[in-house]
Amino acid sequence: MIGYLKGKILSLSADTALILTGGVGYEVLCSSSAAAELTGKEEGELYTYLQAREDGISLYGFVSPAEKNMFLKLVSVSGVGPKLGMAVLSGMDINALAVAIASSDVKRLSAVKGLGKKTAERIILELREKVSHEASAAPVAEGVCSSPVSEDDEDAVVALMSLGFTRAESTKAIGRAHAQGAVAIEDVIRAALKSM
């Protein structure tokens, strides 16, 4: 499995990068944020996901482990394949996507090109359930409140957990965000991510 690439960028388009590593050129299908990160550079790095199917092998590239984790969560949803997963990541940054899932914002999610309302609803339903299951299974550290006070804080915890953080880490980061004066859920999530 190829999980990470670093090397010389031979060519770059809006959704594909050709990266030379160890004498081999890897063609990687990139999210828009990954392509933007590589633009104008001679060398670059990507976190990758290798998909092997009967009709071929595809390598998908991401700017961070959190973006890759979100992609893996998206493609685990029934009816969402890698192409649609990349379209969602290219249509929204992972913070906005996490907020949309956590707050059940079907309208915002279905605004992504190629993503219909029913699929958006399915993504929200399946990912919120998975994150909630992970949250209930995750041990809570001593001295950490097991559930945030408000519903918005719970949505923020779910959003952060969908990015791969534990419930305890998410709760602490949200507390720090509130201490910095963040009130709106989007501001709380942004501030929490910056403090992690």
Side-chain angles (χ1 to χ4, degrees):
M1 184 89 147
I2 301 168
Y4 174 83
L5 282 178
K6 182 176 183 179
K8 185 177 180 181
I9 301 167
L10 298 178
S11 68
L12 184 65
S13 69
D15 61 355
T16 307
L18 184 59
I19 299 180
L20 179 65
T21 302
V24 178
Y26 294 90
E27 187 173 73
V28 185
L29 300 166
C30 296
S31 67
S32 61
S33 57
E37 182 71 24
L38 297 176
T39 301
K41 296 182 178 177
E42 287 186 23
E43 288 199 357
E45 60 182 352
L46 293 172
Y47 293 88
T48 59
Y49 168 72
L50 180 68
Q51 181 196 40
R53 296 181 357 179
E54 288 179 16
D55 59 348
I57 296 174
S58 300
L59 190 61
Y60 297 90
F62 311 94
V63 73
S64 68
E67 187 180 45
K68 178 180 175 180
N69 187 39
M70 182 60 83
F71 172 80
L72 293 175
K73 287 185 182 300
L74 285 170
V75 298
S76 73
V77 174
S78 174
V80 179
K83 286 184 182 179
L84 184 55
M86 292 302 272
V88 172
L89 289 177
S90 293
M92 302 176 80
D93 70 36
I94 59 171
N95 297 340
L97 179 57
V99 170
I101 291 169
S103 59
S104 299
D105 192 345
V106 175
K107 186 176 179 183
R108 189 171 181 187
L109 196 54
S110 59
V112 172
K113 186 177 180 181
L115 184 62
K117 184 179 177 185
K118 286 187 179 182
T119 306
E121 289 171 345
R122 195 176 315 119
I123 288 171
I124 289 168
L125 177 68
E126 291 190 28
L127 293 187
R128 279 195 67 136
E129 284 180 1
K130 283 183 181 180
V131 171
S132 296
H133 176 70
E134 290 168 9
S136 63
V140 178
E142 274 187 49
V144 175
C145 178
S146 63
S147 70
V149 178
S150 73
E151 189 176 321
D152 280 349
D153 282 353
E154 181 61 30
D155 287 343
V157 167
V158 170
L160 292 172
M161 289 181 67
S162 73
L163 295 173
F165 299 105
T166 66
R167 183 172 191 81
E169 290 170 334
S170 302
T171 305
K172 284 181 184 178
I174 288 166
R176 289 191 297 268
H178 284 305
Q180 294 171 1
V183 178
I185 185 170
E186 292 87 355
D187 298 332
V188 169
I189 292 170
R190 280 190 199 97
L193 283 169
K194 285 181 184 174
S195 74
M196 289 177 147

